[in-house]
Amino acid sequence: MKLKTTGFLFLLSTGIALAQTPVGVPPQPLPAQSNQSVATPTGEIAPKGNAKISGYVVDSTLTKAVEYANIAVYNRATDKLVDGTVADDKGKFTLTKVAPGTYKILVSFLGYNAKPIDNVVIVKGQTKDLGVIRLSASTRTLNEVTVAGTKALVEDKVDRLVYNADVDLAAKGGDATDILKKVPMLSVDLAGNVSLQGSSNVRVLINNKPSSILAGNLADALRQIPADLIKTVEVITSPSAKYDAEGSGGIINIITKKNTLQGLHLDVDGGVGNRASTLGVNGSFRKGKLGVNLNGNGRGVYNKSASDLNQTTFLGESIPSVRTSQHADGFDKGLFGQYALGLDYDIAKNQSLTAGLRFGVRNLSRDQHLATSLLNGNIVKAPTRRDVNSQDLSNSVDMNVDYLHTYPGTGDGPQRELSISTQYSQNHLTNNFDANNLDTLGILSTRQRNLNFNTSQEFILQVDYQTPISQTQQLEFGAKETYRKVNSQYQYLLASPTSDFVNDSQRPDGSLLYNQNIGAAYLSYTLTTRSKVSLKAGMRYEYTGIQASAGNQGAISIPNYGKLVPSINLSKKLNETTTIKLAYNRRIQRPNVQDLNPNFNAANPYNISIGNPYLKPEIADRIEFGYSTYVKKTYLNLTLYTRLNRDDIQSISQRSDTLIGAVVSRRSNIGKEYNYGTNLFATVNITPRWSVNTNLDIMYRYISGVALDVSGLSIPLSNTGIRWGGRFDTQVQFNKGWAIQANLGYRGKDIALQGYRIGFAQYSLGARKSFTNKRGSLGLAAENFLTNGMGFTSVLNSAQFNQDFRQYIYNSSIRLTFSYKIGNLNGAKVKKGKSASGDEEN
């Protein structure tokens, strides 16, 4: 029997015919169950009775369910296929009207080793619960099974969009930003800043958990994560009540690769390029109830940088304006590393423990040479030079222990389960710089040093419980406690060419202690009707308590606040290939440590940034309508949305009161922001070996707030604009293990309250050759290779100043990548044949 799935053909298991399903549409039960006996695909009549067989299919790591797994029932005596079904999106399945007898059950799904369950004896009227059935991931298939398909690049699921990064050839050897800039609804600018449907206030998770690696500068943190380590990226624009309310723009969940094969297994990946080089290992060992995963990845970067700053500051109606012109040349170099150890252990049939330890390190330095000229009225000041060495260092640790207990089901409804999760994270950040100021003759005049140390800690305790009310209804509820502690210490020092450093009397030492305690509880209800309508509604309440103090200033009065966060997700299947969705949710964006830190970052004294410990949380309400359909070989997904942000957090700039010609930027709650947008994504499987993906998004933005006029008084300000962007990807697989992928994207002008950033284009081309033994591959990837780099311009305009900042991004790169697998992949003998890509299996 043919089943509709990802647009590619694959074999379900031995004895099950080829199946085909459109992306995002769950396959239908193998033989349709009814009150009458039915004929199976083998032609055998399946007798019916009043017994039941149920179970719950999960990934062997017990971190997620295996959605839509295939369950085939064979007659033990004749070895003929007599019945079957498909698990739901929670991994739960139930076979009803089963006749007495002895059966063999085969549970399988693409990308996993099939698991046989032999000698299942059924008596009349019995409900047989098989409990948790664990499938282990596999890069090969079972005995005598030939894979005839390949995974889709993008999958649309009920509550999220999934980008399968391990299919992306061109990103191999890069970092997480190389993956994210290709994901539908996401955009990444040339500086590595990520936004979701126009909002940069997104919550980024690693394996469904927050990570201290992502604390501080998110753009820099994402460069720590190698692309080769990422399995999938999940984009969740309308999270349910179970998720933290944090992240006004939505959630990006990065799922890393984890091997769960029996025995010992090791992957070695690496790459050498003109901008960066990588080396990583990913290994696993599993025996019996214990599984161990270990991976480590290192990355070295080396690249030049440059920028031009031109700004005019207005001091008053009768005072001449000051023009500042500055050019900077620099060179960046750094080493990044990330290492993780994971353990999972089966305590009992329905209980398991998982634990993880993740360590990240960043060591990035930038040497810059700044030449600055000032024109004050008709007076031209002689150019000055400043040599700056900036240090951006961090080391972070995440530790977690999770417990999962599943309970036997009693019918067709969802599974009952209890989970308890704990996590401790710690991150040490160092953002120092040393500067040498040279006079007009190039002679060293003064030396300056800024020491800025930050430590953040977080502890999480979470309990979740889900239980069925009936076969079509489910309740989920839980509670979570999050405790955060931030400690920032900063100091400015001055010295002459011959003297030692002393405290800068103009900028005294400072500190910030910021403790945040978040208590949360939620309730979620799910209903699925016979008319294929699904409703998931929930309510989450979060109460945030804050205690803060700033050095000699003493305690900072920041009020505690409680927020009620509702969410509603409604979907309707119009037919087997078309689904519509309607969703509403509310989100909270809390300021991060860099937003709060009151240290003056004056590495460039004419373009200064400073944090704001008085920031309030940003509140966002979002309504979304979605339509997805599959027409022949084409999958379409259309989204319309509107989002209102209150107490919008943005950067506001004003002229400096202490240094003529300088501008200071500070994060502030500016007011309101309205966004209205649409996103259209399409994937076309032209042939089983050739796919094309396109993405188009258009958004109208209105921002209102306050700024300062030339005399320093607050005045209302607003800005509007339309931003659009598009992307085209294609991937072709050839015989003998060859494959190529090309990407072209453009991102249009984006606005802020005081100005805008210009648009930019990016493109890439990649090729890979897999070895005939399937254990290794060589690849070549190039990005923006037609030019050496490009300029990325930000423009700010206000009553106090005009600024044009042009940063030159040298992103023309080429990488040679390799990978090799060591160890026994599995013990199954694989039939020699060909996959859809033409690769020969041995």
Side-chain angles (χ1 to χ4, degrees), residues 43 57 86 104 152 154 205 241-242 334 342 394 476 694 746:
V57 187
V86 173
K104 180 177 72 174
V154 177
L205 307 177
K242 185 175 182 178
S394 76
E476 295 178 89
T694 61
Y746 178 78

Side-chain angles (χ1 to χ4, degrees), residues 67-126:
E67 301 178 1
Y68 313 123
N70 303 287
I71 292 86
V73 181
Y74 294 85
N75 185 298
R76 184 68 177 83
T78 64
D79 205 28
K80 295 289 185 66
L81 179 67
V82 296
D83 205 349
T85 189
V86 173
D88 62 17
D89 60 355
K90 300 293 185 181
K92 179 71 166 62
F93 70 89
T94 301
L95 287 152
T96 59
K97 302 180 179 64
V98 180
T102 303
Y103 301 97
K104 180 177 72 174
I105 296 176
L106 187 67
V107 182
S108 63
F109 193 68
L110 182 66
Y112 290 89
N113 293 318
K115 183 164 186 175
I117 304 173
D118 206 359
N119 293 321
V120 179
V121 180
I122 301 297
V123 299
K124 185 176 180 180
Q126 179 186 12

Side-chain angles (χ1 to χ4, degrees), residues 371-406:
T372 307
S373 299
L374 291 181
L375 175 62
N376 190 352
N378 296 321
I379 302 174
V380 180
K381 293 188 176 181
T384 60
R385 204 179 86 189
R386 179 177 171 94
D387 296 334
V388 184
N389 176 262
S390 302
Q391 298 289 327
D392 184 3
L393 316 175
S394 76
N395 62 79
S396 57
V397 177
D398 298 330
M399 296 178 288
N400 70 280
V401 178
D402 303 327
Y403 168 79
L404 177 65
H405 188 169
T406 59

Side-chain angles (χ1 to χ4, degrees), residues 339-343 355-359 397-400:
Y339 314 91
L341 173 67
L343 303 171
L357 176 64
R358 183 181 298 273
F359 175 72
V397 177
D398 298 330
M399 296 178 288
N400 70 280

Side-chain angles (χ1 to χ4, degrees), residues 540-616:
R540 185 181 185 94
Y541 180 76
E542 295 190 352
Y543 184 83
T544 304
I546 299 174
Q547 292 181 328
S549 62
N552 297 330
Q553 181 180 343
I556 300 176
S557 178
I558 302 176
N560 303 332
Y561 56 89
K563 299 294 181 182
L564 197 61
V565 186
S567 65
I568 301 174
N569 289 274
L570 184 67
S571 68
K572 163 69 174 176
K573 289 194 66 174
L574 302 181
N575 52 51
E576 293 303 317
T577 61
T578 303
T579 301
I580 58 174
K581 300 177 184 178
L582 183 64
Y584 162 77
N585 67 34
R586 176 173 291 173
R587 307 291 295 164
I588 302 173
Q589 181 64 41
R590 296 181 178 90
N592 61 36
V593 60
Q594 297 290 55
D595 293 336
L596 299 167
N597 187 4
N599 174 62
F600 272 80
N601 186 342
N604 184 346
Y606 291 94
N607 198 6
I608 301 169
S609 63
I610 181 175
N612 180 4
Y614 293 94
L615 283 174
K616 297 183 294 183

Side-chain angles (χ1 to χ4, degrees), residues 12 217 222 309 370 384 423 532 589 709 727 768 816:
L12 294 179
N217 190 316
L222 290 172
L309 173 67
L370 290 79
T384 60
Q423 178 171 324
K532 298 182 180 179
Q589 181 64 41
D709 64 10
R727 186 172 60 250
R768 185 174 67 185
L816 177 65

Side-chain angles (χ1 to χ4, degrees), residues 120 197 217 397 453 457 470 488 532 535 552 666 764 788:
V120 179
Q197 291 182 335
N217 190 316
V397 177
F453 303 101
Q457 296 173 294
S470 67
S488 176
K532 298 182 180 179
L535 169 68
N552 297 330
R666 181 194 302 263
S764 65
N788 185 38

